[in-house]
């Protein structure tokens, strides 16, 4: 089992939502292309684990038992599982665009971003980009044993800033992160929220031509979220292109002009943010309905009704209990 | 997409030629491909501060989280050397054909550790820095380089401890005193030559261990054999009597660097100053460093796939 796809592709035609015919689209001013992705494929290699089909069972009998025993040994030694996370994504991004990448968990959004940023080797295809793209993630963990200040220096140098530029920006970064004197403590002494804020502050210290944001706004308290939103807005004005991964459709609608919907590693739809977001939301709802229907069919009508009654009864009981408490 | 966009810009099928043409028209650079060797060297030069800070921070972080903190960078090698004094100076009453057995062993062990730890850190550098690799773009050769630098920096104090023990060994019975001589100034040169060799071997290690992590579990045993085959704690010629084998063992690079260090620090009649060995060591350093660097660079676009 050298190559095994853990996700099964559903035969879905990629709906191309070209907004060229819509009146609003022509008015939008777009710059020159800043990023070209052509047939991008990403395959993860997971060394030391053997992917297994769920529910795969060998039959009875002695031979099968022997095989099962051998399989049990093989499961724990060797083997490489290849996970085909992104399967042929092509698009062109232009200056002044901010593009949301939508999709359910495991649809390949983050992997695609990393590949576009040159951090995840591609197994096929090519990406061309203007300058050095910067990926802003919450998981840019630096060195836990060192102080926040030391981490700022390391992060800044890694981003390509000079030592003098970092020294000049140090106060600003600390102030933005809002961690005060805690910056002189080892990172391991900081709360996870503080560490996340510091990482965000470090990674936005340099304004790139292409900025990619992976769920970074989800961290921190309300005040910090507001500050980071403003910072991203600033960067967007200065930077050419922004890619934005988020599960919040509201945030996506307010920040982006275009959306690409990924489904199991394939572009399902690409176009105006509202059009794609609507279609995505409808799809999610339909999926939930579908799941409910499948469950109903599986359980049988009688059992389904019985559970529904029970659920309602529990809800009623909870409500009356809450009402009693608040009184 | 704007109304004026050519057909190739819409989502769906795009040929590699279309993509390359659009990129060329707009001055976009390909990403995720291996840079030219010259470009790679330039990028490395730009990140030399990064390499340096990463190395010194890692060396510092090693002793963080303890009450005595950086004092351990002196205490650890001191206790290490004391163990050798106890075993070889007080328990085993053999001089192994050298005049100052404490000096011989302490120099051997401490200098060998530079190489051993350096190469091991380099081998682990890609997987252990997975977070940096996945978050930031920079020439990956920075990681093994910084790893080896940090080990060398972190062991500078232990070099001082080594010299102190060489001097103090005169108080241990059966050890001929070692005088302080101008040759001690050669020790930094020997260490620098060893650094070049360690970097070269480390680069090779970093690449193959990034591909096959299992080797990290296997190599410690290779290194243990190498340690005994390099005359770290006993002179090779004291135990090997086959002339051809002795030659090979004496001139294999690791033994050669240990020999240089002993030429510099000790005053053994059996280890005279031989400039031909210094030239040979220089050739090993430069050659292995170049080969290792090119070998690492050739896989640049593939690091971080796991």
């Amino acid at each position: 089992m050298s190559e095994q796809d853990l996700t099964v592709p559903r035969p879905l035609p990629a709906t191309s939502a070209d907004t060229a015919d819509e009146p609003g689209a022509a008015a939008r001013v777009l710059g020159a292309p800043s990023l070209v992705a052509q047939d991008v494929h990403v395959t993860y290699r997971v060394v030391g684990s053997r992917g297994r089909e769920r529910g795969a069972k060998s039959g009875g009998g002695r031979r099968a038992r022997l095989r099962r025993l051998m399989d049990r040994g093989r499961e724990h030694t060797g083997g490489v599982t290849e996970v085909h996370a992104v399967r042929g994504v092509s698009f062109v991004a232009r200056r002044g665009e901010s593009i949301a990448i939508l999709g359910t968990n495991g649809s390949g959004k983050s992997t695609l971003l990393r590949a576009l940023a040159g951090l995840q080797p591609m197994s096929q295809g090519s990406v061309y980009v203007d300058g050095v793209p910067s990926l802003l993630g919450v998981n840019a963990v630096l060195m836990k044993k060192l102080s926040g200040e030391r981490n700022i220096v390391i992060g800044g140098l890694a981003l390509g800033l000079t030592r003098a530029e970092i020294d000049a920006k140090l106060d600003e970064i600390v102030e933005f992160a809002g961690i005060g004197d805690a910056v002189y403590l080892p990172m391991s002494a900081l709360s996870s929220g503080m560490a996340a804020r510091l990482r965000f502050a470090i990674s936005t210290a340099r304004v790139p031509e292409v900025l990619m944001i992976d769920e970074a706004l989800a961290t921190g308290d309300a005040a910090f979220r507001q500050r980071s939103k403003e910072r991203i807005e600033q960067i967007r004005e200065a930077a050419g292109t922004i890619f934005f991964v988020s599960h919040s459709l509201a945030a996506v609608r307010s920040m982006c002009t275009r959306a690409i919907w990924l489904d199991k590693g394939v572009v399902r739809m690409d176009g105006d943010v509202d059009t794609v977001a609507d279609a995505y939301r409808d799809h999610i709802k339909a999926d939930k309905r579908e799941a409910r229907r499948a469950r109903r069919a599986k359980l049988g009508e009688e059992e389904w009704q019985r559970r529904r009654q029970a659920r309602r009864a529990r809800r009623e009981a909870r409500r009356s209990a809450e009402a009693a408490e608040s009184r | 997409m704007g109304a004026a966009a050519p057909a190739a810009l819409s989502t769906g099928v795009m040929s590699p030629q279309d993509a390359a043409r659009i990129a060329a028209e707009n001055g976009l650079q390909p990403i995720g491909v291996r840079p030219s060797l010259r470009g790679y060297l330039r990028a490395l030069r730009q990140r030399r501060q990064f390499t340096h800070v990463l190395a010194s921070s890692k060396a510092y972080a090693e002793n963080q989280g303890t009450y005595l903190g950086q004092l351990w960078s002196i205490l650890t090698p001191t206790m290490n050397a004391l163990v050798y004094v106890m075993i070889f100076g007080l328990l085993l009453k053999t001089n192994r054909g050298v005049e100052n057995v404490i000096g011989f062993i302490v120099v051997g062990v401490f200098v060998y550790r530079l190489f051993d730890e350096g190469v091991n850190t380099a081998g682990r550098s890609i997987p252990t820095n997975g977070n940096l690799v996945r978050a930031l773009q920079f020439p990956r050769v920075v990681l093994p380089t910084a790893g080896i630098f940090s080990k060398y920096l972190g062991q500078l104090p232990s070099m001082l401890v080594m010299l102190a023990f060489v001097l103090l060994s005169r108080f241990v019975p059966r050890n001929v005193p070692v005088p302080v001589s101008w040759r001690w100034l050669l020790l930094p040169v020997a260490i620098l030559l060893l650094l070049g060799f360690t970097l070269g071997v480390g680069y090779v290690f970093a690449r193959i261990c990034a591909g096959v992590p299992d080797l990290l579990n296997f190599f410690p045993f290779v290194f243990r054999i190498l340690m005994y085959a390099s005359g770290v704690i006993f002179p090779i010629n004291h135990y090997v009597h086959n002339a051809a084998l002795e030659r090979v063992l004496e001139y294999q690079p690791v033994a050669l660097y240990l020999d240089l260090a002993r030429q510099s620090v000790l005053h053994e009649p059996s280890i005279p100053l031989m400039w031909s060995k210094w030239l040979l060591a220089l050739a090993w350093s430069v050659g292995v460093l170049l080969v290792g660097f090119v070998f690492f660079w050739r896989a640049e676009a593939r690091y971080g796939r796991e």
Side-chain angles (χ1 to χ4, degrees):
Chain A
M1 211 189 319
S2 63
E3 178 167 345
Q4 193 208 358
D5 297 328
L6 290 180
T7 52
V8 187
R10 230 186 314 170
L12 267 175
T15 337
S16 179
D18 217 303
T19 52
D21 300 333
E22 284 176 24
R28 205 198 301 148
V29 185
L30 285 179
S34 58
L35 187 147
V36 179
Q38 185 264 322
D39 196 28
V40 173
H41 286 258
V42 178
T43 309
Y44 280 108
R45 268 177 70 213
V46 186
V47 180
S49 63
R50 214 176 272 277
R52 199 162 43 143
E53 283 141 280
R54 253 180 66 191
K57 283 184 194 138
S58 32
R62 266 174 70 150
R63 288 284 294 274
R65 206 176 301 156
L66 187 68
R67 218 182 52 227
R68 233 180 7 245
L69 201 67
M70 282 170 64
D71 279 353
R72 194 171 296 168
R74 275 179 23 146
E75 226 173 84
H76 302 287
T77 57
V80 176
T81 308
E82 302 220 332
V83 183
H84 203 157
V86 176
R87 309 158 170 259
V89 171
S90 301
F91 63 89
V92 173
R94 291 162 166 273
R95 291 182 163 281
E97 266 186 322
S98 57
I99 304 174
I101 306 206
L102 298 176
T104 49
N105 287 334
S107 55
K109 305 181 297 290
S110 301
T111 308
L112 176 64
L113 271 201
R114 281 210 302 276
L116 296 179
L119 300 168
Q120 176 73 51
M122 290 172 279
S123 49
Q124 197 187 317
S126 49
V127 172
Y128 299 89
V129 70
D130 189 8
V132 180
S134 164
L135 174 68
L136 202 167
V138 284
N139 52 355
V141 182
L142 302 167
M143 300 177 72
K144 281 196 146 188
K145 281 185 173 181
L146 297 175
S147 69
E149 186 205 13
R150 203 74 186 151
N151 274 293
I152 294 174
V153 173
I154 293 176
L157 287 172
L159 285 170
L161 295 171
T162 65
R163 195 62 202 264
E165 284 173 307
I166 296 168
D167 288 341
K169 280 189 184 211
L170 194 71
D171 288 341
E172 189 197 321
I173 293 173
V174 176
E175 193 184 330
F176 183 80
I179 61 174
D181 284 343
V183 75
Y184 298 107
L185 290 176
M187 288 289 272
S188 49
L190 266 55
S191 77
S192 54
M194 279 172 150
R197 268 147 53 185
L198 186 62
R199 282 195 291 269
F200 181 90
I202 293 171
S203 40
T204 54
R206 182 168 166 269
V207 177
E209 281 92 354
V210 177
L211 177 70
M212 302 170 179
I213 302 163
D214 193 354
E215 304 261 14
L217 292 185
T219 58
D221 47 31
F224 181 74
R225 270 209 300 279
Q226 185 55 36
R227 256 186 299 169
S228 50
K229 211 174 163 183
E230 282 162 16
R231 170 66 74 92
I232 285 174
E233 204 57 39
Q234 272 172 22
I235 292 174
R236 189 164 65 139
E237 278 160 23
T241 311
I242 287 198
F243 287 88
F244 185 56
V245 166
S246 175
H247 281 290
S248 154
L249 280 181
V252 161
R253 281 181 211 262
S254 76
M255 290 195 46
C256 300
T257 53
R258 176 180 167 189
I260 294 175
W261 170 8
L262 274 190
D263 187 31
K264 301 194 169 76
V266 181
V267 176
R268 176 114 177 231
M269 200 173 179
D270 176 3
D272 177 71
V273 65
D274 286 319
T275 318
V276 179
D278 286 345
Y280 177 68
R281 189 198 54 211
D282 292 347
H283 172 77
I284 298 284
K285 277 191 180 158
D287 247 16
K288 273 190 190 152
R289 254 201 314 277
E290 184 59 42
R292 230 179 1 247
R293 201 160 25 231
R295 207 171 133 74
R296 188 170 183 168
K298 195 179 158 202
L299 287 173
E301 189 58 34
E302 218 169 282
E303 177 71 8
W304 169 262
Q305 289 294 349
R306 199 184 62 74
R307 290 197 183 189
R308 198 157 90 167
Q309 302 276 326
R311 226 173 13 240
R312 281 191 179 155
R314 273 202 304 276
R315 197 155 55 212
E316 282 302 317
R318 200 167 56 231
R319 273 192 193 145
S320 53
E322 275 167 15
E325 213 167 274
S326 64
R327 232 183 279 126
Chain B
M1 285 292 134
L9 290 197
S10 65
T11 299
V13 197
M14 189 197 314
S15 74
Q17 289 78 22
D18 280 338
R21 188 177 46 75
I22 299 167
E25 281 167 6
N26 297 284
L28 308 184
Q29 296 301 315
I31 219 167
V33 295
R34 189 182 70 198
S36 68
L37 190 53
R38 178 183 278 210
Y40 197 57
L41 282 169
R42 197 171 45 234
L44 182 61
R45 223 182 97 78
Q46 280 167 357
R47 300 299 166 100
R48 62 187 186 279
Q49 268 187 330
F50 176 48
T51 313
H52 176 236
V53 172
L54 202 59
S56 53
S57 309
K58 275 177 192 286
Y60 188 84
E62 198 110 301
N63 292 314
Q64 283 295 92
T66 55
Y67 282 109
L68 295 179
Q70 297 307 312
L71 212 54
W72 280 110
S73 61
I74 294 282
L75 287 178
T76 310
T78 305
M79 297 200 301
N80 219 330
L82 278 175
V83 170
Y84 291 109
V85 170
M86 249 156 57
I87 294 176
F88 295 102
L90 305 175
L91 283 174
L92 300 175
K93 298 190 181 347
T94 161
N95 66 3
R96 309 180 165 219
V98 290
E99 289 189 346
N100 189 315
V101 71
I102 300 291
F104 186 89
I105 290 170
V106 169
V107 172
V109 170
F110 279 38
V111 175
Y112 183 77
R113 261 185 54 181
L114 285 176
F115 171 76
D116 182 48
E117 291 198 357
V119 170
N120 265 307
T121 313
R124 281 168 215 282
S125 61
I126 302 287
T128 52
N129 291 293
N131 279 323
L132 275 177
V133 171
R134 278 188 290 273
L136 299 163
Q137 220 194 351
F138 57 88
R140 302 311 187 204
V141 75
V142 162
L143 294 175
T145 311
I148 290 172
F149 279 4
S150 81
K151 286 295 166 192
Y152 272 68
L153 282 173
Q155 289 188 50
L156 281 184
S158 75
M159 291 292 114
L160 297 178
V161 172
M162 174 182 95
L163 292 178
F165 269 81
V166 168
L167 282 181
L168 294 175
S169 64
R170 67 182 69 208
F171 300 115
V172 181
R174 292 183 314 282
N175 280 280
V176 178
V178 177
V180 178
S181 91
W182 66 271
R183 284 206 251 158
W184 282 27
L185 295 176
L186 285 175
L187 181 65
V189 182
I191 290 175
L192 214 60
L193 290 175
L194 178 61
L195 173 65
F197 180 74
T198 310
L199 284 170
V201 177
Y203 293 152
V204 174
F205 255 57
R207 173 170 167 186
I208 58 180
C209 292
V212 187
D214 303 50
L215 292 175
L216 284 170
N217 294 338
F218 170 70
F219 277 123
F221 301 103
V222 177
F223 279 110
R224 195 150 338 145
I225 290 174
L226 186 64
M227 180 170 139
Y228 291 117
S230 305
V232 170
I233 47 181
F234 56 79
I236 298 163
N237 54 15
H238 194 65
Y239 291 92
V240 179
H241 299 295
N242 178 325
L245 186 61
E246 196 188 322
R247 266 287 134 113
V248 173
L249 288 181
E250 190 183 349
Y251 282 95
Q252 58 101 347
V254 179
L256 197 60
Y257 293 109
L258 292 184
D259 199 73
L260 297 193
R262 287 181 179 134
Q263 285 181 28
S264 321
V265 177
L266 302 180
H267 199 72
E268 293 289 334
S270 58
I271 311 173
L273 193 57
M274 275 173 71
W275 294 111
S276 61
K277 284 193 172 177
W278 290 79
L279 278 180
L280 188 62
L282 177 67
W284 271 116
S285 293
V286 175
V288 171
L289 178 60
L290 288 180
V291 170
F293 186 83
V294 171
F295 183 73
F296 186 90
W297 157 76
R298 286 177 66 88
E300 176 71 7
R302 295 208 293 273
Y303 299 121
R305 234 191 113 192
E306 278 80 32

